Amino acid sequence: MPTIASRREFLRLATLTGAGAAIAACAPAAAPTQAPAAPASEQSSTESTDASAPAAEAVELKVLAENWGEVYNQLMSLIGDDYMQENPNIKITWEFDPEWRTKLTTLFAANTPPDLAFMRGDFLAAVAPKGVLLNLDDYLAQANVKREDFIPALYDSSVYEGKLYAMPGGADVWSLFYNKGLYEASGIPSDSAPKTISEFGDVSKKVLKKAEDGSIEQASLWYTTGWIPQWIFAFGGQLYDETSGKITANAPKNVEAFTFLKNFWQSMGDVDQLTAFAQRPGQLDAGNPFATGQSVHVFDGFWYYEAIDQYAPDIEYGVGYWPTPNGTKEEQKNWMIDGWKYSLPKGIPHVDESWNFMRYMFVDKSAHMGCTTLNGPCIVAQFPEWVSCMQDKIGQDNRMSPYLSVFTDQATTATKFFPVIENQAFYSDELVRVYDLMIRDQLTPQAALDEVTTNVQADLDKIRSGAA
């Protein structure tokens, strides 16, 4: 098996990243006015198939994508290969760029955008107000595809000011992996993961082991500033009020979440001990703490089975849902989900062909795309097909096979996502900044989140007033 690529580690550590420079204030070329054509599968079977008819003119579709590393890039290109086999007049050309935001900004400014553009929520919020993306609402309506067909949170995070500007593509669902053997060694039942936050905290205390010098030998997790929004939402918090347009970082439930996290980390050790323990290979690399048994838990997606299969083939692990205060079904709506999507830029020469390819990947063949490229699909009705395909792919006896439904359950239930606002990346950075100060006792949870609220609101007001 090839070495695991860096894609998933990037997604874990950088839930949100900068949206890049603002789009230059040049007017985009007018979008074609014709209605989107129906996919070939919906066209009349009575159309001529005379071999003497002239061959359709070849069309090249250029796709700008995020660079996930060689292994995952190759997997993603396979769905394009499948489409080209079914549509021989189409040529798909992929460009995987680690600086795709910068590249896309430049292409928009030059009025030479790709036919399909990779998108994340932070960049969507930055470029949608510039008028450089096509509204996809009419395309979905003609295809008889509705919001209810998608994972709700991913559809909603593709909307800006009531209009759909991106097609949900892949779902990133994070769940709690736990080491069953280390549970049993600590006297903890291993038949299921903790369902409540207090249970998770209790288990974390029981598995903690320290050396005589106070250094951490075994811990629940290794220290990270990741997962901040996920914990906030799990506590029932919110980050933005759509009605008022106000930042709500210091909402009471958010403060409660920060207080828990501060107590959680500090119960394991001081900052120096925490950071020293965290100086280990990433969780997708050889020698990562979950694989070596130094960390009892890890939050990750279904794809983590690859790293465990490669580096820890003998560990018996289980997978559970993200814990909530009381572990109730109602609270599970507060799970957060993230993912990636694709947009159609205005002014592209082959709108219909681009739409048909995008629909093929992410609607018609959503399960196939997910299974082929090791991504979570976004069309809910295709979840059973995806589970079955993945089980065939990895084998029914793979340790991950019984837990694939954990990820589809969370995807179906989750309603939370980082707000799609113009300074989303700054918001994320501010949360990380004060989080570290809080863990170091330089700010209280309340003071930390008060700072975030003030700073992010001021920045957002500046942007919306046109002063930025």
Side-chain angles (χ1 to χ4, degrees):
M1 183 175 181
T3 301
I4 304 300
S6 61
R7 167 195 177 196
R8 303 298 184 178
E9 185 73 355
F10 168 80
L11 293 177
R12 179 183 72 84
L13 296 176
T15 303
L16 297 166
T17 53
I23 301 301
C26 57
T33 58
Q34 68 267 29
S41 62
E42 292 185 4
Q43 293 173 3
S44 171
S45 60
T46 61
E47 291 181 3
S48 173
T49 57
D50 188 346
S52 65
E57 181 180 354
V59 171
E60 181 182 14
L61 300 181
K62 296 180 179 180
V63 184
L64 178 62
E66 186 175 69
N67 191 320
W68 293 335
E70 182 179 359
V71 172
Y72 286 106
N73 291 347
Q74 289 179 350
L75 290 176
M76 193 66 209
S77 68
L78 294 178
I79 196 68
D81 294 344
D82 291 344
Y83 186 77
M84 286 189 287
Q85 286 185 349
E86 297 183 27
N87 299 271
N89 66 310
I90 301 293
K91 177 183 179 182
I92 309 295
T93 302
W94 297 86
E95 180 180 359
F96 298 96
D97 194 326
E99 302 296 332
W100 64 271
R101 292 174 175 84
T102 302
K103 179 64 175 286
L104 192 51
T105 297
T106 302
L107 293 176
F108 278 140
N111 202 23
T112 58
D115 295 284
L116 287 86
F118 185 89
M119 195 63 58
R120 289 193 182 276
D122 64 317
F123 198 71
L124 179 67
V127 300
K130 307 294 182 180
V132 295
L133 301 177
L134 287 174
N135 178 357
L136 301 180
D137 290 310
D138 289 344
Y139 288 82
L140 261 67
Q142 187 192 48
N144 197 29
V145 182
K146 302 178 178 63
R147 173 186 179 275
E148 293 74 20
D149 296 318
F150 294 91
I151 295 172
L154 282 185
Y155 182 95
D156 292 343
S157 67
S158 303
V159 172
Y160 180 80
E161 292 191 346
K163 296 180 180 179
L164 185 73
Y165 286 107
M167 171 78 80
D172 295 325
V173 182
W174 302 287
S175 298
L176 179 64
F177 290 69
Y178 67 101
N179 186 315
K180 290 186 175 182
L182 295 180
Y183 266 38
E184 292 169 359
S186 300
I188 304 166
S190 62
D191 55 336
S192 64
K195 295 180 176 60
T196 70
I197 291 171
S198 62
E199 288 172 357
F200 178 70
D202 290 342
V203 167
S204 297
K205 291 176 183 177
K206 290 180 180 179
V207 301
L208 178 64
K209 293 182 179 180
K210 289 191 174 185
E212 290 185 4
D213 63 0
S215 61
I216 301 171
E217 293 182 336
Q218 176 180 292
S220 172
L221 294 166
W222 60 96
Y223 178 64
T224 174
T225 56
W227 313 126
I228 295 174
Q230 285 85 349
W231 282 113
I232 284 176
F233 288 130
F235 270 84
Q238 67 173 122
L239 293 171
Y240 179 70
D241 186 330
E242 287 278 355
T243 303
S244 66
K246 297 297 184 182
I247 302 299
T248 59
N250 58 355
K253 290 293 184 181
N254 301 7
V255 176
E256 187 178 340
F258 260 44
T259 301
F260 162 78
L261 291 167
K262 178 179 179 177
N263 294 336
F264 173 81
W265 290 119
Q266 291 186 348
S267 70
M268 291 194 216
D270 61 33
V271 172
D272 291 338
Q273 292 169 337
L274 293 171
T275 54
F277 183 77
Q279 299 307 307
R280 284 167 168 77
Q283 65 194 54
L284 295 177
D285 299 322
N288 73 76
F290 188 79
T292 61
Q294 293 167 299
S295 179
V296 179
H297 301 111
V298 64
F299 286 103
D300 216 316
F302 78 90
W303 51 79
Y304 194 49
Y305 82 87
E306 293 179 298
I308 307 177
D309 284 355
Q310 185 169 354
Y311 302 127
D314 298 324
I315 285 181
E316 186 179 3
Y317 67 84
V319 183
Y321 302 112
W322 199 289
T324 61
N326 299 295
T328 65
K329 285 287 186 182
E330 185 64 26
E331 288 175 340
Q332 291 172 357
K333 294 178 181 178
N334 293 326
W335 284 330
M336 176 182 168
I337 190 168
D338 199 6
W340 48 267
K341 47 210 87 181
Y342 273 84
S343 293
L344 298 182
K346 284 186 178 179
I348 55 177
H350 307 293
V351 179
D352 295 343
E353 292 86 351
S354 299
W355 160 252
N356 287 340
F357 178 44
M358 190 160 69
R359 172 180 169 174
Y360 174 90
M361 288 191 290
F362 306 134
V363 177
D364 299 340
K365 300 289 185 177
S366 179
H368 174 66
M369 181 282 303
C371 185
T372 299
T373 68
L374 294 185
N375 281 283
C378 290
I379 298 296
V380 174
Q382 294 185 33
F383 283 178
E385 179 185 346
W386 176 80
V387 169
S388 177
C389 180
M390 283 300 306
Q391 288 175 334
D392 290 343
K393 187 185 188 83
I394 66 179
Q396 294 285 344
D397 58 347
N398 189 286
R399 291 166 293 175
M400 174 55 66
S401 282
Y403 297 110
L404 290 168
S405 61
V406 171
F407 301 93
T408 56
D409 286 349
Q410 286 190 198
T412 305
T413 307
T415 65
K416 302 299 183 181
F417 54 92
F418 208 102
V420 182
I421 54 177
E422 294 86 338
N423 61 347
Q424 187 189 91
F426 177 64
Y427 197 167
S428 178
D429 291 343
E430 278 291 282
L431 286 170
V432 170
R433 179 184 67 82
V434 301
Y435 184 84
D436 188 66
L437 294 174
M438 176 190 70
I439 300 299
R440 296 175 183 275
D441 278 330
Q442 296 177 26
L443 287 173
T444 66
Q446 183 71 60
L449 292 171
D450 284 345
E451 275 196 21
V452 174
T453 302
T454 299
N455 294 345
V456 178
Q457 188 66 60
D459 183 65
L460 184 60
D461 290 343
K462 184 179 179 181
I463 293 171
R464 291 180 172 175
S465 69

